[in-house]
Amino acid sequence: MNDRPLTLMAVHAHPDDEATGTGGVLARYAAEGIRTVLVTCTDGSCGDGPGGVKPGEPGHDPAAVALMRRQELESSCEILKISHLEMLDYADSGMMGWPTNDAPGSFWQTPVEEGAARLAELLRRYQPDVVVTYDENGFYGHPDHIQAHRITMAALAMTAPIPKVYWTTAPRSMMQRFGEVMREFGADWQEPDPAEAAALAEIGLPDEEITTWVDTTAFGGQKFDALAAHASQGENIFFLKMGQSRFTELMGVETFVRVQDTTGAAVPENDLFAGLR
C-alpha cells in the first residue's frame, strides 16, 4: 500500500508568483487535504525596495530586498496553507534586457542542467501527482519564468513520469477584460505601440485551447490576502486596490493547459486531480 498523500507541486520564479498565478489552486487543494509543495527558484532581489525604489537606484539593497521578500513569501505560504516551501535561492535576473540578466549566479545564467538536477531531487523526494509551472515563454517573457519552465521540463525528463503536468495560462477573453478593469480602476494603461500590442496579443491562449478551468472563487479571500502579504511589490498594488470582492470576480478561476497526462481524464476538465481520485 502506498500511503503517500496526493501532492501538488508548483514551480515558480519569484516570491509573489505563487499568489498571482496559482494562489487559488494552492488554497483549494490544501483545504481538500492534498499536500501542496511550492518551489520558488529565485530570491526576488530585483524587486522593489522600501518606498518602491528600483534596482540600481540609490537605496536599493538587493540582500535586504531578498530578506524582506522571503519573509513575505513565508507569510503568503501560511495564508495559502502550503505544506512545504522549497527555495532554490538563485539570484533574481530582473526583467528581460536588464544588466542583472548577465550577473554571475543569476538564475538566467544558471545552466539548465544544474537547476534541473536540483529540482529533480525535489521531485524524487515529494513524488508529486501534479506539477504546475509556466509555458515556454514564461507567460509574458520574463527570463526567470522562462528559466523555471526550462528547468522544470528538464527535471521531469530526469525522473519517473509524473501523472499530470500543467502550464499556467490565461484565456484571451480574460486578458481583454483585465485591460478594461485596469482602466476602470484608473491604472496608467497607455495604448501600446503596434509591436507591443502584437506581443500582448500572444499572452495566454484562445479560450478553446485551454484544457483546465479550476473554480477557486471560494478561496478568493485567501488568494487576495496572500498577494497582500507581498505588499512591498508595486506591481501588486493594482490588484489590491480593487478590493477582495472584485479581485475574486476577476481572478476566481485559474486556467491551465495540460501538457502531460497518464490518467486519460477527459478535457476540458475542472480539476487538476481529475483521474487521480
Side-chain angles (χ1 to χ4, degrees):
M1 287 282 294
N2 183 2
D3 30 356
R4 177 184 58 80
L6 280 173
T7 301
L8 166 65
M9 177 181 284
V11 183
H12 282 293
H14 311 98
D16 80 1
D17 290 331
E18 82 291 338
T20 51
T22 55
V25 292
L26 287 165
R28 170 179 163 166
Y29 290 121
E32 293 179 7
I34 288 171
R35 181 173 63 168
T36 52
V37 181
L38 171 63
V39 180
T40 302
C41 296
T42 79
D43 60 6
S45 56
C46 285
D48 292 352
V53 63
K54 304 296 183 184
E57 294 179 351
H60 189 280
D61 179 347
V65 170
L67 177 59
M68 174 178 62
R69 297 196 72 185
R70 172 64 184 252
Q71 293 167 343
E72 291 178 336
L73 177 61
E74 290 173 353
S75 295
S76 173
C77 288
E78 186 174 344
I79 291 164
L80 297 173
K81 308 301 182 188
I82 290 170
S83 311
H84 301 276
L85 169 63
E86 297 286 351
M87 298 283 292
L88 299 186
D89 265 335
Y90 290 108
D92 191 340
S93 310
M95 300 297 286
M96 191 67 81
W98 287 13
T100 45
N101 294 175
D102 302 319
S106 74
F107 192 37
W108 188 238
Q109 289 298 313
T110 299
V112 169
E113 56 272 20
E114 177 192 318
R118 293 182 61 195
L119 182 57
E121 289 182 14
L122 297 176
L123 289 171
R124 295 185 190 103
R125 182 190 310 169
Y126 289 107
Q127 300 177 54
D129 302 278
V130 175
V131 171
V132 174
T133 192
Y134 313 100
D135 62 17
E136 304 102 315
N137 191 45
F139 186 59
Y140 67 97
H142 193 297
D144 287 330
H145 291 217
I146 294 170
Q147 189 75 330
H149 163 85
R150 290 173 176 170
I151 74 159
T152 302
M153 301 314 292
L156 289 167
M158 296 176 178
T159 56
I162 301 297
K164 303 183 86 175
V165 178
Y166 294 88
W167 296 343
T168 57
T169 191
R172 296 264 167 84
S173 60
M174 192 275 277
M175 295 302 295
Q176 180 179 354
R177 186 161 162 244
F178 181 68
E180 294 167 357
V181 173
M182 286 190 76
R183 285 188 287 271
E184 175 189 339
F185 279 86
D188 183 16
W189 183 256
Q190 299 177 353
E191 289 300 320
D193 64 32
E196 289 176 329
L200 286 170
E202 293 303 310
I203 293 177
L205 289 172
D207 292 30
E208 63 272 14
E209 293 182 23
I210 291 173
T211 63
T212 310
W213 305 69
V214 184
D215 183 356
T216 62
T217 51
F219 303 92
Q222 279 176 265
K223 182 171 177 173
F224 183 85
D225 291 346
L227 193 61
H230 297 282
S232 71
Q233 300 310 299
E235 66 265 23
N236 297 330
I237 300 303
F238 164 72
F239 291 107
L240 301 177
K241 270 177 62 177
M242 69 175 67
Q244 179 181 312
S245 177
R246 196 65 191 278
F247 173 85
T248 301
E249 180 187 332
L250 182 67
M251 308 282 283
V253 175
E254 293 182 348
T255 50
F256 306 86
V257 59
R258 195 172 81 190
V259 295
Q260 182 172 306
D261 174 65
T262 64
T263 69
V267 292
E269 59 187 1
N270 59 12
D271 179 9
L272 297 178
F273 286 84
L276 291 168
R277 53 180 178 169

